Amino acid sequence: MERRVRALRTVLAEKGYIDPAALDVLIDTYERKTGPRNGARVVARAWVDAEFRNWLLRDATAAIASLGYTGRQGEHMVALENTASCHNLVVCTLCSCYPWPVLGLPPTWYKSAPYRARAVKDPRGVLADFGIRLPESTEIRVWDSTAEVRYLVIPQRPPGTDTLSEEQLAACVTRDSMIGTGLARPP
Ligand SMILES: [Co+2]
């Protein structure tokens, strides 16, 4: 695969279809500037700052942009807060829509047909596959991403984290917990 990519890149550059320098900027962006660490900082801020949390729930796009996370596939963000009574799970049933600025590029399973179909039909079964068992009393809401709207799940803050700094809290926030296929982990 690597060789194929390199060959394609060479041909496209030789034909003048792509600018290798521009490609380097793009690759750098997706390797280093976006990714789940961004989303984790958003969640940690929401956990420690009630005003920010309220803003995030009201206008996620603006609240997230205030931390510097903007760009393609993050233009219309909606934040979904998990509670003891309601667990949110995000899928894109049509393709693989995903909030790039806060989570980076989607994991392979997110793009797979089984996940996309089963997340809707059997969300509890999907969660069980990820090792998550929620009480029957917890409602599971499934959100279908579109080309317009992208979702960020705010997982529940783990117990015993009262004394942690915002940075330490961010380390508890996993990528999957922001998709809804996981929970924030204890420190
Ligand atoms: Co899609």
Side-chain angles (χ1 to χ4, degrees):
M1 182 57 77
E2 233 170 81
R3 269 192 224 161
R4 271 193 219 171
V5 169
R6 231 176 308 157
L8 261 177
R9 184 186 168 137
T10 306
V11 171
L12 291 171
E14 274 172 5
K15 288 182 181 284
Y17 292 140
I18 58 166
D19 171 6
L23 206 56
D24 286 342
V25 171
L26 278 174
I27 290 167
D28 184 64
T29 298
Y30 288 105
E31 277 189 344
R32 274 186 286 197
K33 298 201 177 100
T34 81
R37 288 301 93 212
N38 294 356
R41 286 190 199 104
V42 174
V43 171
R45 175 66 57 85
W47 282 346
V48 299
D49 181 343
E51 212 172 295
F52 181 81
R53 167 195 167 272
N54 293 338
W55 186 19
L56 186 63
L57 293 175
R58 220 174 40 243
D59 184 354
T61 312
I64 290 169
S66 76
L67 298 182
Y69 310 133
T70 58
R72 287 188 60 212
Q73 309 243 5
E75 296 95 338
H76 303 287
M77 292 294 305
V78 170
L80 309 164
E81 188 178 49
N82 281 351
T83 63
S85 58
C86 178
H87 181 93
N88 298 286
L89 175 70
V90 178
V91 64
C92 174
T93 55
L94 275 182
C95 43
S96 57
C97 296
Y98 196 70
W100 293 355
V102 281
L103 292 188
L105 297 176
T108 310
W109 56 258
Y110 185 85
K111 299 182 266 188
S112 74
Y115 176 74
R116 284 157 41 206
R118 262 186 86 219
V120 179
K121 279 190 290 196
D122 179 21
R124 262 178 217 281
V126 168
L127 288 179
D129 286 351
F130 280 92
I132 309 290
R133 277 175 208 286
L134 298 171
E136 282 300 320
S137 57
T138 302
E139 179 195 355
I140 299 176
R141 282 191 202 156
V142 180
W143 300 78
D144 195 357
S145 305
T146 68
E148 295 289 321
V149 178
R150 306 299 158 92
Y151 301 100
L152 178 72
V153 174
I154 309 168
Q156 282 187 274
R157 181 169 173 167
T161 55
D162 290 354
T163 58
L164 296 193
S165 69
E166 204 173 316
E167 210 181 303
Q168 289 169 320
L169 283 170
C172 300
V173 183
T174 63
R175 177 196 65 198
D176 289 4
S177 75
M178 293 179 281
I179 304 172
T181 52
L183 305 176
R185 61 182 165 218

